[in-house]
Amino acid sequence: MKKIFQILLVFSFAIINAQNMANRFFYELTYKPNKDSAKLEKEMMTLDIDKNKSVYQSYELIGLDSLANVMIQKAMESGNMPDEKSLSNRKPTQFLHRIFKNYPVQEIVYKDQILMDYYSYRENPGISWKISDEKQKFGAYTTQKATTEFGGRKWIAWFTTEIPFQDGPYKFYGLPGLIVKVEDDAKNYSWELKGNRKIDQIKDTLYTEGLIKQSGLSSSKEISKEKFLEKYEQYKNDPLASMKQMLTQLPSEVKLPDGFSISQEMREAEKKMKEELNRNNNSIELQVKNK
């Protein structure tokens, strides 16, 4: 009887654990970071899907977050400052945004980090697809073509009914199967499915986001998409504005290392950030002005 109970317990745990597991789909993103350049760059993105929702984000962001978690935990155990070399040696991600879709999709939640602060907005992209009879093979999957206009660009998608998720990378969804490939007609941005595996669960909040919020050094606000775009434009014009404001509140008795100049460090950091922002000026969505 005891053995039967143990078998039932293990079986029940396996079922519950399987129900909590999610699918992680890996998409290779090929993109043109600068609209005036023909240079293309690549980054691996992920789409995590369970029975209730999905989260789209950069795989580099997941890796950096996991590494930061390990570093800080070790530092707390040892009482020493975290070793930043491991983080600086990793490839930085150009995409800090995360996109959440709850099923059935009525709206998406877009969350991004601007310097230290987190902002999110809700949106119904209203993507209307035109499905054609054209089919094409991508890897092991037979796919069908669909087209749409979204974010000021014309998009071509290839979806498969062999994977029964009506979802896709970035904000794309709503086709009768998983999107295997999607790109704009000028090939500024192209996502292609490269593989998938099971993961334990979807993380709604990254470790670093929770840590920064806990420190009180950042805020998290839900605003409209229009306000978010305004915030981002302000950030591009003055990327260290919030940090400058924070430094004005430093107590007068705070001592700085000899030869250390905050103003000089800030000027150099601001220059590098502006150069980086200018190099990455080709947004996925174009800001279309109303006529």
Side-chain angles (χ1 to χ4, degrees):
M1 188 70 180
K2 185 178 179 182
K3 285 187 177 180
I4 293 173
F5 177 74
Q6 288 174 332
I7 291 168
L8 286 171
L9 191 65
V10 170
F11 186 65
S12 300
F13 177 79
I15 291 173
I16 292 167
N17 192 48
Q19 288 173 343
N20 290 334
M21 290 188 78
N23 296 278
R24 171 165 288 170
F25 294 94
F26 293 87
Y27 288 87
E28 184 178 65
L29 170 59
T30 304
Y31 67 101
K32 186 191 291 187
N34 192 301
K35 58 189 175 185
D36 298 322
S37 170
K39 181 184 176 184
L40 294 172
E41 294 190 11
K42 294 178 184 289
E43 185 161 339
M44 193 62 73
M45 313 299 287
T46 64
L47 179 67
D48 296 345
I49 298 177
D50 66 18
K51 62 179 182 178
N52 298 314
K53 62 181 180 292
S54 72
V55 179
Y56 164 85
Q57 61 198 314
S58 163
Y59 190 52
E60 281 297 328
L61 183 63
I62 296 170
L64 287 165
D65 190 69
S66 179
L67 181 58
N69 188 349
V70 171
M71 283 172 50
I72 291 169
Q73 293 300 325
K74 283 184 177 179
M76 289 172 68
E77 290 170 8
S78 65
N80 299 320
M81 289 292 289
D83 181 8
E84 297 177 7
K85 289 182 181 178
S86 299
L87 283 176
S88 60
N89 290 336
R90 284 190 68 101
K91 177 187 173 183
T93 177
Q94 295 299 327
F95 304 99
L96 295 174
H97 59 257
R98 305 177 81 216
I99 297 172
F100 301 81
K101 306 182 189 105
N102 289 320
Y103 298 145
V105 180
Q106 302 294 326
E107 63 181 6
I108 63 108
V109 176
Y110 180 100
K111 180 182 282 188
D112 207 347
Q113 184 179 354
I114 299 180
L115 197 58
M116 297 288 282
D117 295 320
Y118 291 87
Y119 294 95
S120 63
Y121 63 80
R122 295 177 185 272
E123 176 187 23
N124 181 350
I127 299 175
S128 178
W129 295 98
K130 184 178 180 181
I131 299 175
S132 80
D133 294 328
E134 188 177 346
K135 294 185 178 181
Q136 189 171 331
K137 196 88 170 176
F138 282 98
Y141 304 111
T142 299
T143 67
Q144 192 168 344
K145 185 179 179 181
T147 57
T148 191
E149 291 188 24
F150 169 70
R153 299 187 192 274
K154 294 179 180 179
W155 299 91
I156 302 162
W158 297 89
F159 68 93
T160 181
T161 55
E162 295 166 20
I163 306 177
F165 297 116
Q166 297 183 9
D167 209 337
Y170 192 60
K171 296 180 180 179
F172 299 106
Y173 69 95
L175 285 165
L178 187 72
I179 295 172
V180 173
K181 183 173 182 177
V182 58
E183 63 184 6
D184 69 287
D185 60 353
K187 298 187 186 300
N188 287 278
Y189 284 86
S190 176
W191 290 263
E192 186 170 345
L193 182 65
K194 293 297 181 181
N196 67 286
R197 66 178 176 86
K198 294 285 186 181
I199 59 171
D200 290 338
Q201 61 182 359
I202 292 176
K203 286 187 178 180
D204 291 330
T205 304
L206 293 176
Y207 173 77
T208 44
E209 180 185 350
L211 192 70
I212 293 171
K213 286 180 185 176
Q214 195 175 31
S215 70
L217 295 173
S218 77
S219 63
S220 181
K221 298 176 184 174
E222 183 174 318
I223 55 180
S224 67
K225 184 176 182 179
E226 291 72 24
K227 285 290 183 186
F228 173 81
L229 293 173
E230 285 178 20
K231 286 279 183 187
Y232 193 70
E233 283 301 316
Q234 291 167 6
Y235 168 68
K236 288 195 292 186
N237 293 327
D238 191 359
L240 292 176
S242 59
M243 192 168 285
K244 290 173 187 173
Q245 179 64 29
M246 194 186 300
L247 289 172
T248 61
Q249 299 172 17
L250 278 176
S252 57
E253 64 269 16
V254 171
K255 301 295 182 184
L256 299 174
D258 290 341
F260 184 85
S261 168
I262 288 182
S263 58
Q264 179 64 25
E265 291 288 327
M266 293 284 279
R267 279 195 297 270
E268 290 177 5
E270 186 173 53
K271 181 184 176 184
K272 288 180 181 177
M273 290 175 76
K274 283 186 174 181
E275 288 172 353
E276 184 68 18
L277 287 164
N278 287 331
R279 278 196 298 268
N280 294 274
N281 63 7
N282 191 24
S283 301
I284 298 172
E285 296 177 51
L286 304 175
Q287 292 190 41
V288 181
K289 294 180 180 179
N290 295 325
K291 294 180 180 180

